[in-house]
């Protein structure tokens, strides 16, 4: 099979686990040079070593806490120092806090989540755009299906994800004059360490996972690999798409369900 992103330079935030890991792997499999970050060094370095033995592309792990502006700036600077340019930025690092009602949520918790889930996407884009413009590159933002359809006891998370979709459209407009495409992927349920952690906090983790699987028309969760394929599609193939929100949801948003919470 031909390589679809050969020798292109891609930055992936939060690439050591879960959806980010699937994205890093898919780009390396398609010949790209990928710089990815996370806070945890062990998982990042292990993934770097594993993928570099597989190729045909390559990857480089850089430790970076995406909630810190100076570290985000450094991630972009290091990439350009190492590889000279950037063709694609994938904003993925984010967190879903345990479910909590609005009454129990503090302003500080909301602000911290906003900082990681939204402001970091803005800042990484801001620092990478001067380079992306030189290459007529593209940005891929990982949002979430719940940014469109909502989710119980998760108002701050849903708000950050909805804002990512809006910001994607705003930046697509702004950057069109520079031939930079800006798109977003909204996954539904994808089995990742984050999903497993959230399930583990419920009374019956196995039942929670089964419910999560049945939320999709397809009767299963999405995989990290499928997220990777969607990202490579947007970067390499979707050359007439900008400002789109690609639902990677197994049809979770379709059909009627038993949704009323009003006591009968
Ligand atoms: N899984 C789903 O069902 C689902 C659905 C819709 C949307 N999403 C979105 O997809 C993205 C990835 O989710 P996931 O399920 O793959 O999560 P995950 O399994 O927790 O993986 C998150 C990755 O991001 C890194 N990360 C977390 N905080 C970071 C920070 N402050 N700075 C740098 N890296 C950081 C983690 O490494 P370290 O912990 O070592 O830093 C890890 O590599 C998130 O934006 C999430 O909202 C997920």
């Amino acid at each position: 099979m031909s390589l679809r992103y050969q020798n292109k330079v891609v930055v992936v935030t939060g690439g050591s686990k879960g959806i980010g890991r699937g994205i890093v792997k898919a780009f390396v499999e398609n010949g790209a040079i990928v710089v990815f970050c996370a806070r945890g060094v062990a998982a990042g370095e292990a993934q770097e070593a594993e993928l570099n033995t597989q190729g045909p592309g390559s990857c480089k792990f850089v430790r970076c806490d995406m909630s810190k502006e100076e570290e985000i700036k450094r991630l972009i600077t290091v990439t350009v120092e190492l590889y000279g340019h950037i063709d694609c930025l994938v904003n993925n690092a984010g967190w879903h806090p345990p479910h909590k009602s609005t009454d129990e949520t503090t302003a500080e918790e909301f602000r911290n989540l906003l900082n990681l889930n939204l402001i970091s996407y803005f800042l990484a884009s801001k620092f990478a755009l001067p380079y992306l413009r030189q290459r007529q590159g593209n940005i891929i933002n990982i949002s979430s299906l719940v940014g469109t359809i909502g989710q119980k006891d998760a108002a701050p998370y849903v708000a950050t994800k909805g804002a990512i979709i809006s910001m994607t459209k705003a930046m697509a407009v702004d950057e069109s004059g520079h031939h930079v495409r800006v798109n977003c992927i909204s996954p539904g349920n994808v089995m990742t360490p984050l999903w497993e952690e959230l399930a583990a906090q419920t009374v019956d983790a196995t039942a929670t996972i089964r419910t999560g699987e049945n939320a999709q028309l397809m009767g299963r969760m999405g995989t990290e690999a499928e997220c990777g394929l969607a990202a490579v599609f947007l970067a390499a193939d979707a050359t007439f798409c900008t400002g789109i929100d690609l639902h990677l949801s197994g049809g979770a948003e379709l059909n009627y369900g038993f949704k009323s919470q009003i006591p009968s």
Side-chain angles (χ1 to χ4, degrees):
M1 211 176 83
S2 65
L3 302 178
R4 287 150 68 207
Y5 223 50
Q6 194 166 19
N7 296 327
K8 302 270 191 179
V9 178
V10 182
V11 178
V12 180
T13 71
S16 68
K17 297 179 211 156
I19 289 172
R21 175 169 55 193
I23 293 173
V24 173
K25 192 163 188 282
F27 275 111
V28 171
E29 284 169 352
N30 278 283
I33 300 159
V34 183
V35 175
F36 69 98
C37 79
R39 294 161 304 172
V41 174
E45 289 183 345
Q47 147 128 325
E48 179 188 69
E50 186 190 330
L51 293 184
N52 283 337
T53 52
Q54 293 169 8
S58 65
C59 65
K60 166 91 185 145
F61 171 69
V62 175
R63 197 206 162 274
C64 169
D65 182 345
M66 290 300 295
S67 64
K68 304 205 166 105
E69 180 166 355
E70 283 312 309
E71 294 192 20
I72 300 172
K73 196 181 272 178
R74 184 177 158 272
L75 174 69
I76 301 302
T77 308
V78 165
T79 304
V80 176
E81 281 170 4
L82 284 172
Y83 303 114
H85 57 262
I86 303 175
D87 295 286
C88 177
L89 166 69
V90 183
N91 286 309
N92 163 76
W95 187 55
H96 191 313
H99 291 266
K100 256 208 289 204
S101 70
T102 293
D103 303 274
E104 295 167 306
T105 303
T106 67
E108 193 187 4
E109 285 168 338
F110 197 156
R111 283 194 193 99
N112 287 340
L113 194 69
L114 205 54
N115 189 43
L116 174 62
N117 283 10
L118 181 65
I119 314 277
S120 81
Y121 282 33
F122 173 80
L123 288 175
S125 302
K126 173 178 164 164
F127 299 138
L129 271 167
Y131 306 103
L132 292 168
R133 288 172 189 144
Q134 291 170 12
R135 303 280 295 180
Q136 304 193 352
N138 70 105
I139 296 173
I140 299 168
N141 294 320
I142 306 301
S143 175
S144 168
L145 179 63
V146 304
T148 298
I149 69 171
Q151 187 181 37
K152 189 169 163 51
D153 288 339
Y157 179 79
V158 169
T160 63
K161 292 299 174 176
I164 289 167
I165 299 167
S166 305
M167 188 173 74
T168 298
K169 293 176 186 179
M171 282 197 189
V173 172
D174 290 344
E175 296 308 317
S176 57
H178 300 282
H179 305 282
V180 173
R181 295 179 298 114
V182 187
N183 290 302
C184 116
I185 297 175
S186 283
N189 291 320
V190 178
M191 186 38 82
T192 64
L194 174 61
W195 220 106
E196 275 184 84
E197 276 161 34
L198 289 169
Q201 288 157 15
T202 64
V203 180
D204 183 346
T206 309
T208 304
I209 289 172
R210 202 172 309 119
T211 306
E213 289 165 349
N214 288 332
Q216 286 68 240
L217 289 180
M218 292 182 179
R220 65 169 178 89
M221 292 198 195
T223 64
E224 296 174 10
E226 287 172 318
C227 296
L229 288 172
V232 171
F233 163 72
L234 284 180
D237 308 323
T239 50
F240 198 46
C241 291
T242 195
I244 71 161
D245 177 20
L246 178 60
H247 282 196
L248 198 70
S249 64
E253 67 276 30
L254 303 179
N255 205 357
Y256 285 104
F258 301 101
K259 293 179 179 171
S260 171
Q261 298 169 46
I262 301 166
S264 51

